[in-house]
Amino acid sequence: MRKKIPVAEPALCGNEKQYVLDCLDTTWISSAGKYLSRFEEEFASFCNAKHAMSCCNGTVAVHLALLALGVGPGDEVIVPTLTFVATANAVTYCGARPIFIDSEPETWNMDVNQVEALITPRTKGVIAVHLYGHPVDMDPLLATARKHGLFVVEDAAEAHGGLYKNRRVGSLADIAVFSFYGNKIVTCGEGGMVVTDDPELARKVRLFKGQGMDPARRYWFPTIGYNYRMTNIEAAIGLAQLEKVDWLLARKREIAEQYAQCLRDVSGVSLQPEKEWARNVYWMNSALLDPSVRSSRDEVMRRLDEAGIETRPFFYPMHTLPMYRESVAGRVLPVAGDVAMRGMNLPSSVLLTAGDVEYVCDNLARAMRADDDRP
Ligand SMILES: *Cc1c(COP(=O)(O)O)cnc(C)c1O
């Protein structure tokens, strides 16, 4: 039996080990050190942004961005319902309420045309999530936000290196966040980054992530802060990853092209597209089963698992989770609900071989057809 083909795995084939050993040898293992400052500088330049502040994961990166923007109790923040739970939870951490918005059917990203209808006097801003690597249509979103005086946060945790109209994801709105979890395009093991051009937002993120301590006065805390710092060891891994980000992104694209090629003539399945104004980084190779496929999505996933192929279902829409169910007050979000039940993520590791991708596609085609003869 061949080794299981994973959905994701880190590629630690560069300077990761050498840099981590350097941290140990020099004893710089905590939340200061040269790898932290280098990683922040390099990441800011990668995003074409002025400031990048590291933190301990992507979830707290969203929290820090919202804290810096002044989100607090009673506020509302519009977020896509089809996202990872951290986007919505970070709003809740601030005492604010996430207001869920449906997906548009093509890219499955938030339907920016529905934002205006959800704005109330309590709305403070919008979090745009570049789902599975495809950038959100930012221009109409930014226009609506500007018209109503709202902030826009990019949750780019799944889209390192993505482009919107030739501009880098992370530099498109007021502030952006990234995750470096083990399955993300660039990883530190655990880690996050907040990116912005605004010096005042940058200052506040630094304040909140470092216990709220006044940078000019040791042990003087003008506000309640958090310990949300990254370690030098994590940054060492992140920097080594960033050194080969062009290769990582190129591999992601190659694999997506192979999937598109292999599944071109397989009916009943479609992949996340790439809009003409976007560069999808294909964090995941996301497949949507056609409603006409007789086998259920979960049954297809089970058959792939039996063939040694790991897959992941799409996220459940946030408004269907117990803690957020009430918040939509009976409002239906049909597109996200439908897509979430039919979607699955295929193996997307940069270490996959062309043979692996072919094996996945052959098995996917077979798994979808398995129930066709049933009476
Ligand atoms: C992964 C992810 C996060 C959270 O990142 P962690 O580093 O796992 O805390 C936030 N938002 C989205 C969209 C993500 O995919």
Side-chain angles (χ1 to χ4, degrees), residues 55-62 80 82-88 90 127-132 155-160 177-184 189-193 283 315:
C55 57
C56 51
N57 58 60
T59 307
V60 309
V62 189
L82 195 60
T83 181
F84 183 58
V85 70
T87 318
I127 307 180
V129 180
H130 307 304
L131 189 73
Y132 299 138
D155 182 342
E158 305 178 356
H160 316 60
V177 302
F178 291 84
S179 162
F180 306 116
Y181 180 64
N183 66 8
K184 298 292 162 78
E190 292 271 10
M193 196 75 85
W283 172 54
F315 301 128

Side-chain angles (χ1 to χ4, degrees), residues 76-97:
E76 293 178 356
V77 179
I78 297 170
V79 302
T81 191
L82 195 60
T83 181
F84 183 58
V85 70
T87 318
N89 282 350
V91 175
T92 309
Y93 298 163
C94 296
R97 243 164 56 92

Side-chain angles (χ1 to χ4, degrees), residues 33-186:
K34 67 178 181 199
Y35 292 110
L36 280 163
S37 42
R38 279 176 61 192
F39 186 37
E40 289 178 340
E41 276 162 32
E42 296 287 327
F43 200 81
S45 116
F46 171 66
C47 295
N48 286 323
K50 291 205 177 75
H51 310 276
M53 286 69 64
S54 59
C55 57
C56 51
N57 58 60
T59 307
V60 309
V62 189
H63 190 198
L64 285 168
L66 296 175
L67 288 167
L69 288 159
V71 174
D75 293 343
E76 293 178 356
V77 179
I78 297 170
V79 302
T81 191
L82 195 60
T83 181
F84 183 58
V85 70
T87 318
N89 282 350
V91 175
T92 309
Y93 298 163
C94 296
R97 243 164 56 92
I99 303 297
F100 297 107
I101 189 165
D102 203 4
S103 303
E104 48 88 6
E106 243 186 308
T107 65
W108 323 318
N109 272 322
M110 70 191 297
D111 185 348
V112 295
N113 297 317
Q114 294 185 29
V115 168
E116 198 145 33
L118 294 175
I119 296 173
T120 74
R122 290 183 293 277
T123 310
K124 286 285 148 42
V126 184
I127 307 180
V129 180
H130 307 304
L131 189 73
Y132 299 138
H134 194 297
V136 169
D137 192 3
M138 293 299 285
D139 279 349
L141 174 62
L142 290 165
T144 304
R146 259 184 231 116
K147 184 170 145 200
H148 294 272
L150 307 179
F151 66 71
V152 177
V153 177
E154 286 177 79
D155 182 342
E158 305 178 356
H160 316 60
L163 296 176
Y164 176 71
K165 298 184 178 170
N166 281 320
R167 284 177 295 140
R168 265 281 151 87
V169 152
S171 65
L172 305 171
D174 297 296
I175 195 163
V177 302
F178 291 84
S179 162
F180 306 116
Y181 180 64
N183 66 8
K184 298 292 162 78
I185 294 177
V186 171

